[in-house]
Amino acid sequence: MDFEPKIVAFVCNWCTYAGADLTGTSRIKYPVNVRIVRFPCTGRIDFMLLLKAFDEGADGIIVSGCHPNDCHYTSGNFHARRRWMIFRNLIDFVGIDIRRVAFSWVSAAEGAKWAEVVTDTVGKIKELGPYSEYHQISKSFDGGAK
Ligand code: FES
């Protein structure tokens, strides 16, 4: 049986969420592997939620919001990008393959781009295989208690 990865997408309301909606209303097909979590802005995303998503069984993650200089709140996406540059070191440190996280900018007018981002991410995660390392890491920290 083919491996179907579970992808969690953390997106901003004003650009990527609207872009994903446009993908649907434009009837552009893309893999059904993604579950979207909507935030007011990428600047409001607590990147610890990425670890939580992996811990809860995600195989890959997409973080996406407005293009630089298009953030509804002026600079939220710049804050998110800076936070991500630091957080990626932590992800690497705890042993999560950095290729499991895709960071992208998708505007409300880019329904086709959203389909591309999801399709590319699903393809990449299928190549990497199911994610299980973090479960082992978190269990070793808490003695296996859940
Ligand atoms: Fe979209 Fe800030 S509102 S990134």
Side-chain angles (χ1 to χ4, degrees), residues 12-15 40-43 65-66 70-73 76-77:
C12 87
N13 178 58
W14 300 101
C15 287
C41 173
T42 53
C66 307
D70 283 346
C71 175
H72 198 71
Y73 304 98
N77 50 4

Side-chain angles (χ1 to χ4, degrees), residues 47 51 81-98 101:
F47 279 89
L51 293 181
R81 185 167 62 185
R82 257 181 253 139
R83 247 182 255 138
W84 167 240
M85 295 312 286
I86 294 165
F87 192 77
R88 59 184 288 156
N89 295 330
L90 175 65
I91 282 197
D92 192 36
F93 178 75
V94 297
I96 298 172
D97 191 325
I98 200 79
V101 183

Side-chain angles (χ1 to χ4, degrees), residues 41-124:
C41 173
T42 53
R44 292 303 304 263
I45 298 172
D46 178 347
F47 279 89
M48 292 305 282
L49 290 173
L50 275 63
L51 293 181
K52 179 80 174 157
F54 279 123
D55 195 34
E56 295 291 331
D59 299 300
I61 291 173
I62 297 170
V63 178
S64 183
C66 307
H67 286 266
N69 299 318
D70 283 346
C71 175
H72 198 71
Y73 304 98
T74 313
S75 58
N77 50 4
F78 291 123
H79 293 291
R81 185 167 62 185
R82 257 181 253 139
R83 247 182 255 138
W84 167 240
M85 295 312 286
I86 294 165
F87 192 77
R88 59 184 288 156
N89 295 330
L90 175 65
I91 282 197
D92 192 36
F93 178 75
V94 297
I96 298 172
D97 191 325
I98 200 79
R99 293 173 296 172
R100 290 188 182 276
V101 183
F103 202 108
S104 69
W105 310 122
V106 175
S107 80
E110 294 178 314
K113 183 177 177 187
W114 174 248
E116 265 174 45
V117 167
V118 172
T119 303
D120 290 352
T121 304
V122 169
K124 196 168 51 175

